[in-house]
Amino acid sequence: MATAGGGCVADPGSRSLLRLLSFCVLLAASISGDTGVIHVVEKEEDLQWVLTDGPNPPYVVLLEGTLFTRDVMEKLKGRSGRIAGLAVSLAKPSPASGFSPSVQCPNDGFGVYSNSYGSQFAHCRAFQWNKVGDGLAYEDFSFPIFLLEDENETNVIKQCYRDHNLSPNGSAPAFPLCAMQLFSHMHAVVSTVTCMRRSLIQSSFSISPEIVCDPLSDYNVWSLLKPINTSGTLEPDDRVVVAATRLDSRSFFWNVAPGAESAVASFITQLAAAEALQKAPDAATLPRNVMFVFFQGETFDYIGSSRMVYDMENGKFPVQLENIDSFVELGQVALRNSLELWMHTDPMSQKNETVLNQVEVLLSTLEQSGAGVPTVVLRRLNQSQPLPPSSLQRFLRARNVSGVVLADHSDSFHNLYYQSIYDTAENINVTYPAGQSPEEDLNFVTDTAKALAGVATVLARALYRLAGGASFNDTIQADPHTVTRLLYGFLVRANNSWFQSILRPDLRSYLGDGPLQHYIAVSSPTNATYVVQYALANLTGKVIDLTREQCQDPSQVPTENKDLYEYTWVQGPLNANETDRLPRCVRSTARLARALSPAFELKQWGSTEYSTWTESRWKDIRARIFLIASKELEFITLIVGFGILVFSLIVTYCINAKADVLFITPREPGSVSY
């Protein structure tokens, strides 16, 4: 279950002409670059030129985004000898029929359902969750594929094509022709097993090893409503309610993973719920604790959740599996129809009467919590329906847990752009009035923010009840302003005044002028992981009166305990004059936990139990356009050059042979006598 494509370790802040495809660049990409004549394909009929008619192959195809489909790619793949590469431009607006390069059954084989457990649900036999998925991201192509994100850059290439490659009446264009060269050579080979073995051999026997691939890895973000001693583990009688969601997404292209509906809307909702629950007056005295978890790498066969379950089973995490009282997970929640929020449960675990009763209590609690929220209508599903792809499935593989997944869909996803480049803010209707400043957009409460705040309120109230609370349930309310600032920061502009205020000073460079991307990557923590951790810390933590030195080393302060809390020195808000920031120390329970598949801890690189995704390394990712001459002119130039070389060798030989004649050394004048 691995792929050898992609793996950029280039500076994420650098600006290049193109962004490289991550998982579909085959290692056949030439180390010296792949060069071809540019041909623009704006409609499917234009393919005929590059597939059969064009007299000057190979071609680099500039493909309109609306044509970037499995059918078109299969045609290009079938004539790969005539295709040197592909550059895809973004479709604007997004394709109305949808586009998802993921498979129809995401994470198949790594969830709870198998031939031995719920075989009728295994491999999505009940129905396909992602109906528009065409599996394109899981195919191999023998040519590099790039994404053109900047419309101006696309126009430059098209203009070069029109000036030099476009001829009237379908005749062959005259040279010189506009060509493009793509550099995307990958170091990894064949599979995870092969590339990890080669990397291990290099590391073991080479003084300066050249690693060819790395495991996908990052960190889960987690926190507790009430602090616990993280240097040990909870007692078996301690009960914890888990609220979970995922942090990551992906698309066909490397590090282009907006994930608005796939991930962002759900983890923003959970952040708002965590803030609302923390404000409950009796939060610190509830009978049961609440743990908020944000899993990384779930897109790639549940990397984050499988690692947490593994650590829990092996006593490497403070909370153990037996401590889990109930499990509430947020799936995709931003595209609800008629206010409906569906409650998905596992029919197999409910064959156990104890679990059945616990799930009934869980569902009833959610329904009661939603009764006072007019923007959310909770719906039950038939008990014969399986769970959608979710982190809960990894916990159910290890233990019967009473759990529920909340989602905006009753069966197949509403998201037509699941794990694609088009799962952006526009996909979940996050829009702003024209003419506003960035600061005004940051604080403008959108309709989507109001809707997600309603879901967050239901979640917070349900967690409060599940933790044993009763007195203040109706007063718990998620803040739409928090939700709208989070939506703006993650989906529109990360470099905003609020995100700047909640981060450490040394992390300012992590905030770009565009949205954050949510690909797990190999260099961790990623920008998005850091921002989620600090957002969680600032929303649920407390500002305390410590100096910077004390905050960075709380052991200097007798009343503080680093085993109970995390301490973070953040930039803070601007002062009244908006000239300087007011830094402060935030104490919270927001922490990071490793999200690396257990397969790499165990060196089981061919595991079917755990995720084994890796990413190739590379050195040079770039592209350039230039003019090329005809083969005939190149041949003539070669012959002429060779002739000049031969002639120069003959002349040199002749001159050398007659050197004593041609170059007579003058005699030294003799001595003269007088």
Side-chain angles (χ1 to χ4, degrees):
M1 298 302 296
T3 182
C8 272
V9 290
D11 175 16
S14 63
R15 177 177 171 81
S16 59
L17 177 64
L18 303 160
R19 298 186 86 162
L20 176 68
L21 156 71
S22 173
F23 291 102
C24 298
V25 174
L26 204 63
L27 299 178
S30 171
I31 194 169
S32 59
D34 297 272
T35 304
V37 175
I38 295 173
H39 188 75
V40 175
V41 175
E42 296 179 328
K43 54 186 183 297
E44 199 160 345
E45 292 75 17
D46 296 338
L47 287 172
Q48 191 68 23
W49 184 265
V50 297
L51 296 178
T52 56
D53 297 348
N56 302 304
Y59 290 94
V60 169
V61 178
L62 176 55
L63 189 68
E64 288 295 317
T66 52
L67 295 177
F68 187 51
T69 63
R70 187 179 185 90
D71 288 342
V72 170
M73 292 303 294
E74 289 290 348
K75 291 178 181 178
L76 295 174
K77 185 177 181 180
R79 298 302 302 273
S80 57
R82 292 178 59 87
I83 308 298
L86 187 67
V88 181
S89 62
L90 279 174
K92 294 181 180 179
S94 302
S97 59
F99 172 70
S100 173
S102 183
V103 291
Q104 293 187 345
C105 188
N107 293 9
D108 185 23
F110 290 85
V112 68
Y113 303 116
S114 65
N115 292 332
S116 59
Y117 184 93
S119 58
Q120 67 271 37
F121 307 127
H123 313 300
C124 296
R125 289 192 180 107
F127 50 82
Q128 304 297 327
W129 291 104
N130 182 31
K131 282 189 175 180
V132 297
D134 60 14
L136 194 60
Y138 294 79
E139 294 291 328
D140 285 332
F141 297 94
S142 58
F143 46 83
I145 306 172
F146 286 66
L147 174 66
L148 287 165
E149 291 189 280
D150 192 319
E151 191 172 349
N152 292 328
E153 293 164 349
T154 304
N155 291 334
V156 168
I157 300 172
K158 286 184 175 181
Q159 189 61 48
C160 186
Y161 164 78
R162 286 190 290 265
D163 291 344
H164 301 280
N165 299 4
L166 192 60
S167 58
N169 305 320
S171 59
F175 286 90
L177 299 176
C178 186
M180 179 180 284
Q181 189 173 28
L182 308 176
F183 296 88
S184 60
H185 181 68
M186 299 288 135
H187 292 181
V189 291
V190 184
S191 67
T192 287
V193 174
T194 303
C195 77
M196 289 299 293
R197 184 178 65 244
R198 293 189 180 184
S199 295
L200 180 63
I201 293 172
Q202 284 270 346
S203 301
S204 302
F205 298 104
S206 176
I207 297 175
S208 55
E210 183 173 342
I211 307 301
V212 295
C213 68
D214 301 282
L216 294 185
S217 65
D218 195 16
Y219 287 87
N220 298 324
V221 180
W222 66 285
S223 73
L224 284 153
L225 185 64
K226 297 184 291 185
I228 63 171
N229 191 329
T230 56
S231 61
T233 58
L234 292 178
E235 296 296 326
D237 293 337
D238 293 332
R239 310 304 292 164
V240 176
V241 179
V242 176
T245 191
R246 66 173 58 190
L247 278 180
D248 68 303
S249 184
R250 67 168 293 187
S251 76
F252 190 84
F253 299 94
W254 179 79
N255 204 32
V256 185
E261 163 74 342
S262 304
V264 177
S266 57
F267 74 65
I268 283 176
T269 301
Q270 184 157 297
L271 285 168
E275 179 191 36
L277 182 58
Q278 193 73 47
K279 291 178 179 179
D282 57 344
T285 60
L286 294 174
R288 288 178 284 277
N289 211 338
V290 178
M291 181 170 74
F292 294 94
V293 189
F294 302 79
F295 290 116
Q296 254 299 5
E298 297 302 273
T299 298
F300 297 98
D301 301 330
Y302 304 118
I303 292 174
S305 56
S306 63
R307 178 53 184 265
M308 182 167 283
V309 171
Y310 174 82
D311 287 344
M312 286 179 171
E313 290 177 321
N314 291 277
K316 298 179 180 179
F317 193 76
V319 179
Q320 305 297 291
L321 285 172
E322 56 265 27
N323 296 127
I324 297 177
D325 182 79
S326 53
F327 195 107
V328 183
E329 180 173 353
L330 286 178
Q332 300 179 75
V333 295
L335 297 177
R336 290 182 291 136
N337 290 334
S338 304
L339 310 180
E340 292 175 330
L341 189 65
W342 296 90
M343 300 183 289
H344 297 258
T345 58
D346 172 42
M348 299 303 298
S349 59
Q350 291 181 70
K351 292 180 179 180
N352 180 306
E353 189 173 350
T354 302
V355 176
L356 177 63
N357 294 333
Q358 291 172 341
V359 170
E360 178 58 36
V361 171
L362 179 56
L363 297 179
S364 298
T365 302
L366 281 163
E367 288 170 337
Q368 293 166 15
S369 302
V373 183
T375 58
V376 180
V377 178
L378 287 151
R379 299 290 190 197
R380 295 194 184 205
L381 287 162
N382 192 308
Q383 283 193 359
S384 63
Q385 185 168 312
L387 283 170
S390 53
S391 306
L392 174 58
Q393 293 200 32
R394 290 302 302 193
F395 284 80
L396 287 170
R397 282 177 73 129
R399 185 184 180 89
N400 271 349
V401 176
S402 62
V404 62
V405 177
L406 302 177
D408 55 23
H409 55 90
S410 59
D411 40 52
S412 299
F413 299 157
H414 290 168
N415 187 5
L416 296 178
Y417 308 106
Y418 180 72
Q419 293 179 3
S420 86
I421 53 179
Y422 302 112
D423 191 9
T424 59
E426 290 77 14
N427 185 34
I428 61 172
N429 303 313
V430 175
T431 57
Y432 301 91
Q436 290 190 159
S437 67
E439 194 66 22
E440 289 171 330
D441 284 347
L442 172 67
N443 294 291
F444 177 78
V445 180
T446 63
D447 291 339
T448 300
K450 295 173 184 176
L452 292 179
V455 177
T457 298
V458 173
L459 176 61
R461 291 180 180 182
L463 295 173
Y464 177 77
R465 288 175 180 267
L466 292 169
S471 303
F472 300 98
N473 182 71
D474 294 339
T475 65
I476 295 174
Q477 187 76 36
D479 186 358
H481 289 88
T482 294
V483 177
T484 207
R485 289 190 295 180
L486 288 167
L487 285 171
Y488 182 81
F490 282 106
L491 294 178
V492 181
R493 183 185 176 91
N495 190 16
N496 61 73
S497 60
W498 188 59
F499 273 12
Q500 290 171 2
S501 70
I502 65 174
L503 288 182
R504 294 197 319 249
D506 60 305
L507 298 179
R508 284 177 298 182
S509 61
Y510 282 38
L511 302 177
D513 289 335
L516 287 168
Q517 301 300 325
H518 303 283
Y519 169 61
I520 178 175
V522 296
S523 55
S524 54
T526 61
N527 300 9
T529 300
Y530 266 132
V531 175
V532 169
Q533 181 195 9
Y534 283 94
L536 182 61
N538 282 266
L539 292 173
T540 62
K542 180 181 179 182
V543 177
I544 57 175
D545 187 19
L546 295 182
T547 65
R548 180 170 184 165
E549 291 71 23
Q550 290 172 328
C551 191
Q552 293 173 342
D553 183 15
S555 60
Q556 301 176 15
V557 184
T559 57
E560 302 299 335
N561 189 336
K562 198 164 178 61
D563 289 333
L564 294 178
Y565 297 102
E566 279 285 304
Y567 298 82
T568 309
W569 186 259
V570 300
Q571 294 189 95
L574 291 169
N575 61 15
N577 297 326
E578 296 189 353
T579 54
D580 295 304
R581 293 197 171 272
L582 304 173
R584 53 194 184 182
C585 184
V586 176
R587 184 182 68 188
S588 72
T589 61
R591 301 175 184 272
L592 299 178
R594 198 80 172 103
L596 170 68
S597 172
F600 299 101
E601 294 278 315
L602 302 170
K603 290 185 168 57
Q604 296 176 358
W605 303 320
S607 173
T608 56
E609 170 70 15
Y610 299 113
S611 169
T612 56
W613 285 90
T614 54
E615 182 182 272
S616 175
R617 288 194 181 185
W618 67 81
K619 289 183 179 177
D620 193 22
I621 301 297
R622 58 191 173 91
R624 60 176 182 152
I625 58 175
F626 50 90
L627 299 180
I628 59 171
S630 66
K631 298 294 182 183
E632 293 79 6
L633 181 58
E634 290 178 347
F635 181 75
I636 293 172
T637 303
L638 176 64
I639 294 301
V640 171
F642 183 75
I644 293 173
L645 173 63
V646 172
F647 177 75
S648 64
L649 290 174
I650 294 173
V651 171
T652 302
Y653 174 80
C654 293
I655 291 175
N656 185 61
K658 301 295 183 179
D660 56 338
V661 177
L662 296 172
F663 306 105
I664 300 174
T665 305
R667 295 180 180 179
E668 293 184 5
S671 57
V672 179
S673 299
Y674 294 95

